[in-house]
Each structure stands twice: as C-alpha cells, then as structure tokens.
C-alpha cells in the first residue's frame, strides 16, 4: 500500500471509531427501554459480587450463576461488577460491558480482516460491524450470551497471530483466551471443542504447529476449562457441589443439558433465513432492516462460497491460509446451531462475525476485479446505499423503536418507576403490602426489579425471602383474601382487577399498568 492509502485507512478507522462510540453510547440506558429479565438478574448478581463476593443465593465466586434456577454464564456479571465498583450501581454499569465487547469485535474483526484480506478490506469489515443492526443492538444491553461473539472473534485472531509468530507465548495467550471464552455462554461448550479440533487438524495437515506450541495452548485452556467441567459433572449428578477459596461449583435447580440432538434439524431448516432477517424477539432484530441489512444477503452467499473455496484450496494444496479459521468458525457454529433446540438470534450470536466477514470478503473479491472509474463509482454507490440504510435504521431505532415495541416481552421499566411512585405518593406506601401481578411475560420475575431499584445485601434478601420470592412489603402473588390495606400493581389479571373494583379500590392508570388502592 502507498502512504496515501495507509493514511486513508487510518482516517477511515478514526471515523469508524467515532461512529462506534456514538452508536453504542447514545441513549444507552433508555434504548432498549427497561431491563430484560435476564439482564436484571445479572445486574443484581453483579451488585452482590461487587460488594459481597457472592451471587444472590450466597454462592461464593460462582463458576456459573444460578439466576432463576436454570443458570446463567457468569463472565458478564463479573465484568459488570467491575463497572459497579467504579461508577456505582446504575444501568450504564450493566450495559457498558456489552459496549466494550462490541468494541472488541470491531477491533479484532479489523485485525482478522487485515491478516486475511489486507488493510483496506479490514477497515471495510470494521465499518460493517459498526453500522449493521445486529451488532448495534447486541452491544447495547447486558445479555450474558452476547459476550461469546466478541471473545470468540478475539480468540480466533490470537490463534492466527500465534501461528504467524510461531512462538509459544502467543499460543499460551491464545489458549487462555479460548479458556475465558468458555465462560461467556454455555453453547461455547459445544462450539469450541469442534472448532479447536478442526483448527488443529488443519494446522497439523499444513505442518504449522509443533508439540511445544500445542502444549502451550492446551495448558491454560485446560486450567480454565477445569472448573466448568467440574460444574457439568456436579449438575449431571457425578459429583457433589463444593467450594474452594477461589470459586464454588453449585448445583442448579434444573440443568439444561439436553438441548442438542439430531432430531432438532427439521425444525431448524429455515434458521439462516431467520438469522439474516428477524425472529420472534424484537430486541434481537427489526424486521424492516434485517440483521445485516437485506442488501447484504447476496454478498453473504457469495462470500460464503469464496471462503469455502479458499479453505478447500488451502487444504488440497497444503498451503496455509489463515482465512480457513473463519471458515471453520462458520461451519462449526452452523452445525451446532442446526442441532440446537430452539435457536434464535441472540443464542446464535457467534455466527455473526463469519457472516459479516463473508460480506467483506465478497466486496474484496468484487473490487479486485474492477478497475479505474468503474471501481470508484461502484465503491461510492455501494457505500452510499449502506450509509442510507444506516441512517434510516438509526432514526428508527433510537427515536421510534422504544415506543413502537412497548411494552416489550421480557423487558420492564414501568415496575421500577411505579415502586418509586407508590413509595413517594401513596399514604404509608413504604409500610403497606405491595402486590404485583405476575400474570404475563412482561412481568416475569418481578422481584428482581424491586432489588434493582432498592438493592439490599444478598444476606438480608435470603433472610427475608418468602413465598414466590416475596420479601419486606413486596408480595409477588395475589392473596386469596383481598388485603384491604394493600396496594396492587396490575397488568393483565382481569379476574383480580374485577374483584378489586368490586371491593371499592380506586384505580390509577400508568401506561399499560394499573395501580389499585384505597
């Protein structure tokens, strides 16, 4: 590349960095609106870890969180606990880890693109990650599984770098990175072993790794994987729960260990159509735009073909090509998703780096064949189309989406606001029992939102817990006999609303909720 081209790439990367900061931090605590139920559970566990070293069930430094009984990967909560210690217990602390891992995807995506296609294509790849809807939406709220994408992308680059450098310390670093990636999301337990098996088989085939380098990779990976292997053994009934000075392996209330089976394939035949368009959860994508913009679909297909062709050529000729790792990343992840029970967009997050990489690879191939003014005109036209889609998406997502999808399934902010309203405006609001309607998904696990708004120590919460996680004056059930002095937060339990009306309670409308009191 000429000095002018290098300067243009540096300018492009600076612009990409600025756009990333704006798109990820603008209205971060209000878009998406409210807190997802799993995000709220993670946030309170992060508060407990930051201040007491336990999760909300008093498990010391858990390897895996219990959350609502079926578990939750722990790494996000540990990252959020750091932000809580620094900036306090607030929504921005819950969501900044997602922003940071979104930045990791951009940075290491660029580095992979640079290694496999060159600096220009790497910058294009970084730009696509920055402006495409999936990457924007996934990096703005605290869902634990979304960390897999960023850590997996970083780990793949570190493996590429280790092979390039040929020094054992780089293999040590790459192995450690893959080990940490296991703590992002349980699906990684299925994806990473197959990815590493085929990747090392490829390296051996091309004589690009030695025994000492492989050992340097495996040692930190095995050390970091060991607690998770013990966790699986405990939850499959082979071992009893145990604690060490460093971590605790607890038994979940119920263990989701049977989600992968060949019988799931027929139900997943249209998975890739869903992954490029939308699923049933509006916080994952917006159907109008698709996950990568619909204009990207033909480029995804072309790039997939080009990637596969490069990988096959590399294998047949025994000529090492670092792009093959991205191909393996895609095909292994795709195979795992096909046998997974009910995969959706957020569960499939690991596949989005190879998908967007295919788009950049297609651009790289096309523009290498074009010359002169045709090449420049095509680049301007394509860039203009993506910019138009990006501006259209941004105007909708930040300013219309929060109200268009409200109330959003599994998200809640009204309950937090109504707790403030009751305790500030209702007579003796802090002393009267507050009953919360749990009749609908929109109020799933309502107790967690009271703990978000009024965090107490996990020791105090465990001491006060009662029926349906009720504590203090918060009651997450409807009483058999109407409590005449109670305050009722109702959503959709029509039968109870009718009983309260007949009992002489007055009602105050609050968006899609009603507050009944006397």
């Amino acid at each position: 590349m000429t000095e002018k081209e290098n300067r243009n790439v540096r300018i492009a990367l600076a612009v990409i960095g600025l756009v990333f900061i704006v798109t990820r931090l603008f209205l971060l605590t209000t878009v998406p609106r409210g807190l997802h139920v799993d995000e709220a559970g993670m946030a309170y566990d992060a508060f407990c870890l930051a201040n007491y070293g336990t999760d909300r069930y008093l498990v010391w430094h858990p390897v895996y969180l219990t959350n609502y009984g079926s578990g939750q990967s722990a790494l996000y909560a540990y990252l959020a606990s750091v932000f809580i210690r620094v900036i306090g217990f607030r929504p921005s602390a819950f969501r900044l880890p997602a922003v940071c891992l979104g930045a990791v995807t951009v940075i290491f995506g660029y580095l992979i693109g640079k290694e496999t296609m060159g600096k220009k294509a790497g910058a294009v790849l970084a730009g696509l990650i920055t402006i495409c809807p999936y990457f924007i939406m996934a990096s703005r709220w605290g869902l634990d599984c979304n960390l897999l994408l960023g850590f997996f992308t970083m780990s793949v680059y570190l493996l590429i770098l280790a092979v390039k450098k040929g020094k054992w310390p780089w293999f040590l670093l790459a192995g450690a990175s893959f080990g940490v990636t296991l703590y992002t999301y349980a699906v990684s337990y299925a994806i990473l072993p197959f990815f590493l098996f085929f990747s090392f088989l490829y390296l051996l085939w091309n004589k690009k790794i030695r025994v000492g380098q492989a050992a340097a990779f495996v040692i930190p990976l095995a050390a970091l994987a060991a607690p998770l292997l013990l966790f699986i053994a405990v939850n499959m009934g082979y071992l009893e729960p145990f604690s060490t000075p460093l971590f605790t392996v607890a038994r979940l209330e119920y263990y989701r260990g049977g989600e992968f089976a060949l019988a799931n394939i027929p139900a997943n035949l249209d998975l890739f159509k869903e992954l490029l368009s939308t699923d049933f959860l509006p916080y994952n994508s917006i159907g109008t735009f698709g996950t990568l913009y619909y204009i990207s679909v033909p480029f995804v297909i072309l790039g997939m073909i080009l990637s596969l062709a490069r990988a096959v050529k590399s294998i047949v000729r025994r000529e090492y090509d670092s792009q093959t790792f991205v191909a393996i990343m895609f095909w292994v992840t795709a195979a795992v998703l096909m046998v997974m029970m009910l995969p959706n967009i957020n569960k499939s997050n690991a596949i989005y780096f190879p998908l967007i990489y295919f788009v950049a690879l297609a651009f790289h191939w096309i523009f290498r064949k074009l010359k002169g003014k045709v090449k420049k005109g095509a680049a301007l036209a394509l860039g203009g189309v993506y910019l138009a889609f990006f501006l259209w998406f941004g105007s909708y997502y930040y300013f219309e989406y929060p109200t268009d999808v409200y109330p959003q399934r599994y998200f809640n902010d009204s309950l937090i606001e109504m707790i403030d309203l009751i305790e500030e405006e209702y007579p003796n609001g802090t002393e009267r029992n507050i009953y919360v309607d749990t009749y609908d998904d929109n109020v799933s696990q309502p107790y967690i939102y009271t703990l978000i708004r009024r965090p107490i120590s996990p020791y105090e919460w465990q001491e006060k817990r009662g029926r349906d996680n009720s504590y203090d004056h918060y009651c997450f059930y409807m009483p058999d006999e109407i409590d005449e002095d109670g305050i009722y937060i109702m959503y959709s339990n029509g039968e109870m609303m009718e009983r309260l009306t007949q009992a002489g309670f007055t009602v105050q409308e609050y968006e899609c909720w009603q507050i009944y009191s006397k």
Side-chain angles (χ1 to χ4, degrees):
M1 289 181 65
T2 66
E3 179 56 35
K4 181 181 179 180
E5 289 173 325
N6 278 317
R7 184 173 65 252
N8 289 340
V9 168
R10 289 194 294 269
I11 293 170
L13 292 175
V15 172
I16 288 166
L18 180 61
V19 172
F20 178 89
I21 291 170
V22 172
T23 55
R24 272 50 170 192
L25 296 183
F26 180 57
L27 299 177
L28 178 63
T29 60
T30 55
V31 182
R33 181 175 174 179
L35 293 176
H36 185 277
V37 62
D38 283 335
E39 182 180 27
M42 175 281 302
Y44 182 61
D45 279 332
F47 165 82
C48 297
L49 289 167
N51 293 284
Y52 305 96
T54 75
D55 68 2
R56 64 185 182 268
Y57 300 99
L58 306 182
V59 178
W60 170 259
H61 289 173
V63 166
Y64 200 83
L65 298 174
T66 301
N67 199 23
Y68 303 113
S70 62
Q72 184 181 49
S73 297
L75 183 58
Y76 198 112
Y78 283 106
L79 294 176
S81 71
V82 175
F83 284 94
I84 289 168
R85 293 293 295 271
V86 174
I87 65 175
F89 188 61
R90 60 189 67 189
S92 55
F94 317 154
R95 290 184 169 176
L96 280 172
V99 174
C100 292
L101 265 295
V104 166
T105 307
V106 173
I107 292 167
F108 288 95
Y110 163 74
L111 292 172
I112 291 174
K114 176 186 171 184
E115 287 293 326
T116 59
M117 297 181 288
K119 287 184 179 180
K120 288 182 181 179
V124 169
L125 178 54
L128 289 169
I129 296 170
T130 300
I131 68 169
C132 281
Y134 168 78
F135 296 96
I136 294 174
M137 296 177 72
S139 61
R140 290 180 53 88
W141 63 286
L143 186 64
D144 60 310
C145 68
N146 283 338
L147 294 185
L148 175 56
L149 174 64
F151 273 95
F152 198 0
T153 303
M154 177 176 66
S155 298
V156 169
Y157 173 72
L158 291 174
L159 179 58
I160 291 171
L161 188 62
V163 175
K164 180 179 179 180
K165 298 286 187 180
K167 304 292 185 181
W168 69 264
W170 292 103
F171 282 94
L172 196 73
L173 180 61
S177 183
F178 276 102
V180 174
T181 302
L182 290 168
Y183 290 82
T184 60
Y185 185 30
V187 172
S188 66
Y189 308 167
I191 293 174
L192 294 192
F194 286 106
F195 172 83
L196 292 174
F197 173 79
F198 287 112
S199 294
F200 274 76
L201 198 63
Y202 173 72
L203 291 173
L204 289 170
W205 176 255
N206 285 284
K207 299 180 180 180
K208 296 295 291 185
I209 193 168
R210 299 188 298 273
V211 173
Q213 295 168 336
F217 183 94
V218 169
I219 289 170
L221 173 63
L224 287 163
L228 288 172
L229 292 173
L230 292 169
F231 162 77
I232 293 170
V234 165
N235 281 276
M236 293 185 70
Y238 299 124
L239 295 174
E240 290 300 314
F242 65 91
S243 184
T244 74
L246 295 178
F247 61 85
T248 298
V249 176
R251 178 167 289 147
L252 304 177
E253 293 178 19
Y254 49 99
Y255 179 56
R256 297 177 296 180
E259 295 188 352
F260 300 95
L262 294 176
N264 294 324
I265 292 176
N268 294 334
L269 291 178
D270 62 347
L271 176 62
F272 289 94
K273 178 182 177 182
E274 178 180 283
L275 294 180
L276 291 169
S277 55
T278 188
D279 62 14
F280 64 98
L281 297 168
Y283 53 76
N284 279 332
S285 64
I286 298 169
T288 303
F289 305 96
T291 54
L292 305 178
Y293 303 122
Y294 291 114
I295 190 176
S296 298
V297 173
F299 299 113
V300 169
I301 297 169
L302 174 59
M304 187 188 308
I305 295 168
L306 293 170
S307 172
L308 183 60
R310 271 180 66 169
V312 171
K313 179 181 176 181
S314 172
I315 293 167
V316 170
R317 295 187 178 183
R318 286 197 169 188
E319 296 174 351
Y320 171 74
D321 180 354
S322 55
Q323 183 277 154
T324 303
F325 292 119
V326 181
I328 295 171
M329 184 182 185
F330 171 75
W331 292 104
V332 165
T333 304
V336 170
L337 294 177
M338 287 302 294
V339 299
M340 185 177 177
M341 182 184 297
L342 301 176
N344 58 29
I345 286 172
N346 62 263
K347 290 180 179 180
S348 308
N349 69 88
I351 207 166
Y352 281 97
F353 175 73
L355 288 177
I356 201 67
Y357 178 90
F358 294 155
V359 177
L361 183 62
F363 290 170
H364 177 62
W365 182 81
I366 290 169
F367 284 103
R368 284 179 65 186
K369 294 185 174 299
L370 299 177
K371 303 294 181 183
K373 292 182 179 180
V374 174
K375 180 177 182 179
K376 185 177 181 180
L380 289 173
L382 194 58
V385 171
Y386 271 89
L387 177 61
F389 275 112
F390 169 60
L391 294 175
W392 181 22
F393 169 78
S395 66
Y396 176 79
Y397 178 66
Y398 294 105
F399 302 108
E400 299 178 46
Y401 167 80
T403 53
D404 277 1
V405 299
Y406 187 82
Q408 184 168 187
R409 189 178 187 184
Y410 301 126
F411 274 78
N412 193 292
D413 68 336
S414 298
L415 181 55
I416 296 174
E417 294 173 4
M418 281 187 292
I419 291 166
D420 288 340
L421 179 69
I422 288 170
E423 296 190 348
E424 292 171 5
E425 297 186 14
Y426 282 69
N428 301 318
T430 58
E431 300 171 9
R432 300 164 67 178
N433 284 340
I434 299 173
Y435 297 91
V436 181
D437 178 6
T438 60
Y439 206 69
D440 189 273
D441 283 341
N442 287 296
V443 285
S444 177
Q445 307 293 344
Y447 81 90
I448 202 67
Y449 295 97
T450 64
L451 291 170
I452 291 292
R453 194 65 189 96
R454 301 283 189 273
I456 60 177
S457 85
Y459 296 95
E460 182 180 354
W461 181 63
Q462 285 294 331
E463 182 181 346
K464 294 179 176 180
R465 282 177 74 192
R467 173 184 171 186
D468 297 323
N469 291 312
S470 300
Y471 68 98
D472 283 342
H473 57 293
Y474 299 116
C475 305
F476 304 103
Y477 58 87
M478 292 293 112
D480 295 330
E481 299 293 330
I482 291 179
D483 178 354
E484 297 289 336
D485 196 43
I487 299 174
Y488 295 78
I489 300 175
M490 305 302 299
Y491 180 79
S492 59
N493 189 337
E495 179 183 348
M496 189 64 187
M497 293 178 189
E498 179 65 25
R499 289 178 60 197
L500 292 170
T501 301
Q502 292 178 356
F505 280 70
T506 58
V507 59
Q508 178 180 343
E509 297 289 337
Y510 188 89
E511 295 182 333
C512 55
W513 298 75
Q514 297 86 39
I515 301 175
Y516 287 79
S517 66
K518 284 189 175 181

